[in-house]
Amino acid sequence: MRRIRIAYLPASLRPGGAERQMLSLAERLPADRFEVDFVVLSGPGAYDERAVASGARIRSVGQTPPPNASAPAKLVRRASKVLRYAAIARARRYDVVDAWLYPADVLAALLRPLTGTSVIMSGRRNVDPQDAFGRAEHLVAAVVNRLTDVVIANSAAAAANAVDRDRVDPAKIRIIRNGVI
């Protein structure tokens, strides 16, 4: 029987609630049934050794550009990271991509037609506005919502906000309260 391939998509494995939650899940999944990768978007982190000790692989799409990089250099770096993620996800043929944090969920959802990922999971951890795409935010959110299978909210307020602000289908939402160990 083929193991289920899961990719967690954090910016990096630096200390944070979502990252600890991903690590806790990776450590508890039976290795004979699941194959876990962390596809990090911004380079190494403090939890890398813990992830590897759990049996997971860490795959990086690149480093964050230096703060003083020019706008064209930042754009080229971002484009190369998008292409690298698409190549990794397509080659690995993940069954599930857990892109709990914004805008990693946008990346996973928008590239789903290219990567062929079976299930895309997104998350809502707060009620802060998500506005990385400026005036196109509502259009991007609509496309992402259509391409996302499950939205995990960490509270009823975050779930209600996802429905009200982003028009997420309530049937897609699961509330899992923060339970970081």
Side-chain angles (χ1 to χ4, degrees):
M1 178 170 94
R2 183 177 76 79
R3 294 185 297 169
I4 296 171
R5 293 185 185 119
I6 298 176
Y8 292 108
L9 192 57
S12 72
L13 287 172
R14 294 186 183 117
E19 295 79 2
R20 286 193 314 269
Q21 190 79 23
M22 291 174 188
L23 283 165
S24 291
L25 289 168
E27 290 168 339
R28 288 171 174 79
L29 290 172
D32 62 326
R33 295 180 39 213
F34 296 92
E35 186 176 328
V36 177
D37 287 356
F38 286 92
V39 181
V40 296
L41 305 177
S42 299
Y47 292 150
D48 288 357
E49 288 181 24
R50 183 174 164 191
V52 171
S54 77
R57 291 189 183 142
I58 299 174
R59 300 176 189 280
S60 177
V61 299
Q63 301 288 325
T64 300
N68 61 348
S70 67
K74 288 179 182 178
L75 183 62
V76 167
R77 180 80 59 108
R78 285 186 184 121
S80 70
K81 289 167 86 172
V82 166
L83 294 173
R84 177 82 175 123
Y85 167 75
I88 290 169
R90 188 173 173 86
R92 297 288 301 143
R93 298 183 316 184
Y94 294 116
D95 299 298
V96 178
V97 171
D98 185 347
W100 202 65
L101 298 174
Y102 176 88
D105 58 346
V106 174
L107 174 68
L110 292 180
L111 292 182
R112 185 179 192 177
L114 295 175
T115 63
T117 302
S118 299
V119 176
I120 302 287
M121 296 173 59
S122 177
R124 296 297 188 277
R125 62 188 169 112
N126 56 39
V127 296
D128 292 339
Q130 297 177 345
D131 57 4
F133 298 96
R135 292 190 292 187
E137 188 66 41
H138 290 294
L139 174 63
V140 170
V143 173
V144 168
N145 289 338
R146 188 171 51 80
L147 294 170
T148 300
D149 300 292
V150 178
V151 176
I152 306 298
N154 68 352
S155 68
N161 183 263
V163 171
D164 294 341
R165 186 189 67 219
D166 296 328
R167 295 176 177 72
V168 173
D169 178 356
K172 288 185 175 185
I173 296 179
R174 304 293 182 271
I175 298 174
I176 301 176
R177 302 197 190 294
N178 284 347
V180 178
I181 296 172

